[in-house]
Amino acid sequence: MNAHAPTWHGTTILSVRKSGRVVVAGDGQVSLGQTIIKPNARKVRRLGADGAVIGGFAGSTADAFTLFERLEAKLERFPGQLTRAAVELARDWRQDRYLRRLEAMMIVADREVTLLLTGTGDVLEPNDGIAAIGSGGNYALAAARALADTDMDAEAIARRAMQIAADICVYTNDQLTVEGIG
């Protein structure tokens, strides 16, 4: 890529786990430099044959879809074992010459666990059940943590935190995709 070419921005993905329910929310904005290219991209989707896993991505769309496909293959190989599938994907991602070049991060969640996956081989489980990635990720994370002790449920927390992130981050909008389990 040309050093002077504008870079792609525009993702905020947030996962909130509360009271037996997990929600993954993603905004819809994709920007190139100072231009909004698409306001309603779907960066959150269900994974696996039974849709029991939710995934959201930040980074290059093509790279993320490659990783989603790889994760789905791992889920087929290790059904009902999201952590094992994620560790296997992270190992491949770190060791495979082609995969190492992929520029994306993922949050994946099922009934039991929420995981953040990176290209450096990290498979991280947040200790408070809240994780966020992308341009507005830190804003959404802070807002969700502040709302976690309220009477709001997981989805309400995710939606409000994403709205707060959209109000602060120019690369995040309020056109959400929200998927939940539980």
Side-chain angles (χ1 to χ4, degrees), residues 25 27 36-37 39 58 65 96 109 138-139 162 179:
D27 79 310
I36 296 171
I37 302 298
F65 281 120
D96 184 277
N138 286 337
Y139 305 118
M162 290 294 289
E179 294 282 349

Side-chain angles (χ1 to χ4, degrees), residues 52-108:
V53 174
I54 305 169
F57 71 87
S60 165
T61 304
D63 292 355
F65 281 120
T66 298
L67 293 168
F68 275 156
E69 289 173 6
R70 297 275 181 138
L71 181 58
E72 284 186 311
K74 299 293 184 189
L75 289 168
E76 285 178 22
R77 186 169 169 209
F78 305 107
Q81 300 178 60
L82 176 58
T83 301
R84 174 115 189 246
V87 167
E88 292 291 326
L89 173 64
R91 181 180 302 141
D92 291 352
W93 193 355
R94 184 173 177 170
Q95 294 176 351
D96 184 277
R97 192 171 249 194
Y98 166 74
L99 292 178
R100 262 196 319 252
R101 292 190 172 98
L102 300 182
E103 296 181 13
M105 291 180 74
M106 299 171 63
I107 291 177
V108 294

Side-chain angles (χ1 to χ4, degrees), residues 60-177:
S60 165
T61 304
D63 292 355
F65 281 120
T66 298
L67 293 168
F68 275 156
E69 289 173 6
R70 297 275 181 138
L71 181 58
E72 284 186 311
K74 299 293 184 189
L75 289 168
E76 285 178 22
R77 186 169 169 209
F78 305 107
Q81 300 178 60
L82 176 58
T83 301
R84 174 115 189 246
V87 167
E88 292 291 326
L89 173 64
R91 181 180 302 141
D92 291 352
W93 193 355
R94 184 173 177 170
Q95 294 176 351
D96 184 277
R97 192 171 249 194
Y98 166 74
L99 292 178
R100 262 196 319 252
R101 292 190 172 98
L102 300 182
E103 296 181 13
M105 291 180 74
M106 299 171 63
I107 291 177
V108 294
D110 66 6
R111 281 192 184 282
E112 307 299 322
V113 66
T114 300
L115 301 170
L116 189 137
L117 309 173
T118 73
T120 58
D122 294 318
V123 178
L124 306 169
E125 180 179 4
N127 65 349
D128 60 0
I130 302 171
I133 56 175
S135 303
N138 286 337
Y139 305 118
L141 179 65
R145 284 185 175 164
L147 295 168
D149 291 335
T150 67
D151 291 338
M152 298 169 74
D153 65 17
E155 184 170 339
I157 290 169
R159 287 183 181 280
R160 182 66 185 123
M162 290 294 289
Q163 180 62 55
I164 290 168
D167 289 347
I168 297 169
C169 178
V170 298
Y171 298 113
T172 302
N173 71 14
D174 61 1
Q175 295 191 35
L176 304 180
T177 301

